[in-house]
Amino acid sequence: MSPSMWFNGLAAASARTPVEIVLLDPDDHLVGRLRFRACPACRTGRILDIWVCDAWQHQGLGRELVHSLLAYHPGYRWNTTLQTRDGRAFFLAMVQETTIALPHGGPLCCHLTGSFRRTWRTLLGHRTPH
């Protein structure tokens, strides 16, 4: 039996608030999750992480999570956090399948950048030369 997909927090209060798409098995146990942040004003988003339980891997569930995300946010520019070797292979396959770029660590809009990073960039940008 296939797992069910649920969106958790799709109406996030802020673009900085992570949102999850979760997969539950028939007994309502978590078997997969994709966490992301999205900015509707700038139409950008970052995939924070994707995870599928070992027992459910190699069944296309990670792929379905990414397709669901892209369907819910059509036309957005996406990037990912730094990836493991397996993660790079997975996202490369997703880029080839979807023809949507999924670079890691690319620039984000100001709404998706955390407060520490925004403050740091502001301080660096306003430094006066000695």
Side-chain angles (χ1 to χ4, degrees), residues 2-26:
S2 298
S4 331
M5 191 170 299
W6 296 90
F7 292 82
N8 182 17
L10 283 179
S14 162
R16 288 182 216 110
T17 304
V19 179
E20 295 182 332
I21 303 171
V22 296
L23 292 170
L24 303 175
D25 71 9

Side-chain angles (χ1 to χ4, degrees), residues 36-68:
F36 67 96
R37 292 184 300 165
C39 176
C42 300
R43 298 186 63 76
T44 61
R46 173 168 273 183
I47 297 173
L48 301 172
D49 65 68
I50 187 167
W51 167 84
V52 175
C53 172
D54 290 344
W56 287 84
Q57 287 192 4
H58 305 292
Q59 298 181 41
L61 299 180
R63 181 180 165 275
E64 290 301 318
L65 287 165
V66 172
H67 277 285
S68 295

Side-chain angles (χ1 to χ4, degrees), residues 8-10 12 14-21 34-40 43-49 69 73 76-81 106-118:
N8 182 17
L10 283 179
S14 162
R16 288 182 216 110
T17 304
V19 179
E20 295 182 332
I21 303 171
L34 183 148
R35 285 185 334 114
F36 67 96
R37 292 184 300 165
C39 176
R43 298 186 63 76
T44 61
R46 173 168 273 183
I47 297 173
L48 301 172
D49 65 68
L69 173 65
H73 294 286
Y76 275 54
R77 288 182 332 242
W78 291 95
N79 67 40
T80 69
T81 57
L108 295 173
C109 73
C110 63
H111 306 111
L112 293 177
T113 305
S115 59
F116 175 77
R117 186 174 235 172
R118 276 193 318 278

